[in-house]
Amino acid sequence: MRIKNTQSITSGLMSGAQKISSLALWNHQFCELDNMVDRLLRFHGTKPSAMSLIAREGAGKTHFALKKQEQFSKYVIDYGDYTTMPVLITRAPKQSTVRTFVERILYELGDIKPSHGSADEKEKRLLALLRKREVKLIVIDEIHDFLPKTSRGRPSTALAWLKGFMDETLIPILFMGTERAGLLHVIDKELASRIRYSATLASLPYGNSDYSKFDFAEMASAFAEHLACPLKQLMFVQFDDEKPIFSNMNLLDRFFVATDGVPRGLRDIFLEINLEMEDDADFTPNLESLSKIYKRMTSMNDFIDFDPFGQGNLTKVQNYINKNCGGENNAAA
């Protein structure tokens, strides 16, 4: 085994891991979601409008928001002492009070003393900064932290404050959260009336044919292409005269079951592969090495009780796909 020095490892990590982490991938779910958000933006300055985006952990909602922010970066104007901020992304603070929420947004807008002043003074600074930085869309991630456990619970004071905030600013809001975020539509009729659209991000689609696995295959192949040293054995779909050519689909099945089709899980496996490649120039992503990676990770599919990369576990892998995705067995290899 040949070990690279620390400087080389760090350099490779920057070139491989950062490319994988920031990779912009737009499958059909993201494209549909993007169109809905663009539609929401047309209500800016007209009437209080919002949209809810519900997704399981790791399905890509935060990734989507960051890419939307990046998409709008071409419209950013630099005025010298500050720049505009078309898309503001913030997270619902765990302490869901109006004070903590206002201070969180002030911080995101660049206020150097977000906790300074009375509640009224902070809100005035907040409104002024939103106008100054020309915010067109506010994304509130982890909105479920503002919500009660059930529809019979009481919403937080911060959630109630948001209604007046929306009325005053007329800036569209994208609420993002887990399944509990669906309570936004039922716990407060006034707030629910402001939510014009609702979308759900599911795990990447997977079915009984190569073409039905395209989105997942494309994402895995893109990650493989952006490794510090691209690996052909992990390029599951390539194009010949714009026609997709699939390969090594049994291994792709194993990746799908290991991650349950969740984009974050797939990304995390490829980040581990990248680390292995930087540490060992002879690293090969065979079943044995992938099994070691899978066993040491805690963010993988917790619905299974077997190692999907185990040499004799392909039948279990395909049975899982049959049961959960409606797939049909590939040739058992």
Side-chain angles (χ1 to χ4, degrees):
M1 179 182 293
R2 187 171 67 200
I3 304 297
K4 295 186 177 183
N5 61 42
T6 304
Q7 185 175 0
S8 297
I9 291 174
T10 304
S11 175
L13 182 61
M14 295 290 282
S15 62
Q18 284 194 347
K19 287 180 181 179
I20 292 171
S21 293
S22 62
L23 192 59
L25 296 168
W26 290 81
N27 57 46
H28 77 281
Q29 289 190 91
F30 276 13
C31 289
E32 292 173 2
L33 179 57
D34 194 45
N35 290 334
M36 292 178 72
V37 173
D38 284 346
R39 193 176 185 88
L40 179 72
L41 285 166
R42 294 167 69 178
F43 292 97
H44 179 272
T46 304
K47 60 187 304 183
S49 302
M51 173 178 166
S52 64
L53 173 58
I54 299 171
R56 62 180 291 185
E57 290 294 331
K61 62 184 187 299
T62 304
H63 177 80
F64 168 78
L66 290 171
K67 292 308 168 185
K68 194 65 181 175
Q69 188 179 58
E70 182 181 299
Q71 188 183 73
F72 272 78
S73 63
K74 61 185 177 183
Y75 302 115
V76 170
I77 301 172
D78 188 347
Y79 288 112
D81 57 338
Y82 72 94
T83 61
T84 58
M85 184 184 288
V87 179
L88 165 67
I89 301 176
T90 189
R91 294 185 64 175
K94 293 293 184 182
Q95 291 182 326
S96 53
T97 64
V98 176
R99 179 183 63 80
T100 56
F101 190 38
V102 169
E103 290 176 1
R104 172 68 65 86
I105 303 177
L106 281 170
Y107 173 80
E108 300 292 351
L109 286 167
D111 190 293
I112 57 174
K113 293 183 178 180
S115 60
H116 179 72
S118 66
D120 186 57
E121 289 171 338
K122 287 184 218 177
E123 289 191 32
K124 287 180 179 178
R125 292 208 313 274
L126 173 59
L127 295 174
L129 277 171
L130 288 169
R131 289 191 295 269
K132 179 179 180 179
R133 303 203 65 178
E134 301 177 30
V135 176
K136 306 299 182 187
L137 174 69
I138 298 174
V139 180
I140 304 178
D141 202 358
E142 311 294 346
I143 192 62
H144 49 267
D145 286 336
F146 278 0
L147 299 168
K149 299 297 182 183
T150 69
S151 59
R152 295 182 178 181
R154 297 182 64 183
S156 68
T157 55
L159 201 61
W161 173 84
L162 265 172
K163 290 181 292 185
F165 174 76
M166 293 172 69
D167 291 342
E168 188 157 4
T169 64
L170 298 180
I171 298 174
I173 295 179
L174 175 61
F175 296 115
M176 304 197 307
T178 60
E179 286 142 354
R180 196 151 53 89
L183 290 173
L184 282 169
H185 298 266
V186 297
I187 63 169
D188 189 310
K189 290 183 179 180
E190 289 185 15
L191 181 62
S193 69
R194 292 163 168 79
I195 302 176
R196 306 185 65 86
Y197 310 118
S198 181
T200 301
L201 270 181
S203 299
L204 290 174
Y206 213 77
N208 59 3
S209 68
D210 290 349
Y211 280 92
S212 66
K213 302 174 183 180
F214 177 81
D215 284 346
F216 192 77
E218 184 182 43
M219 179 171 281
S221 301
F223 286 147
E225 186 178 356
H226 284 76
L227 289 166
C229 180
L231 296 171
K232 288 186 177 180
Q233 54 266 61
L234 299 181
M235 301 289 289
F236 300 104
V237 60
Q238 300 184 67
F239 292 87
D240 182 8
D241 194 23
E242 298 187 357
K243 179 182 178 182
I245 306 298
F246 299 92
S247 61
N248 212 2
M249 300 305 278
N250 283 330
L251 182 58
L252 185 71
D253 287 348
R254 294 177 187 268
F255 272 100
F256 179 84
V257 173
T259 62
D260 200 29
V262 175
R264 183 189 296 172
L266 186 62
R267 179 204 64 191
D268 288 349
I269 283 186
F270 274 89
L271 286 171
E272 289 290 327
I273 292 173
N274 187 75
L275 287 175
E276 293 291 344
M277 292 173 64
E278 294 302 329
D279 286 353
D280 182 0
D282 299 320
F283 174 79
T284 301
N286 53 32
L287 292 182
E288 181 181 0
S289 61
L290 292 172
S291 176
K292 289 180 180 178
I293 289 174
Y294 174 80
K295 288 176 179 177
R296 72 166 172 253
M297 296 181 72
T298 59
S299 58
M300 293 296 97
N301 186 354
D302 56 4
F303 295 103
I304 57 175
D305 58 0
F306 62 92
D307 176 4
F309 296 106
Q311 188 71 43
N313 286 343
L314 184 58
T315 298
K316 291 182 179 180
V317 165
Q318 293 173 336
N319 286 340
Y320 180 90
I321 293 171
N322 291 341
K323 181 179 179 180
N324 296 279
C325 310
E328 296 175 357
N329 283 347
N330 296 315

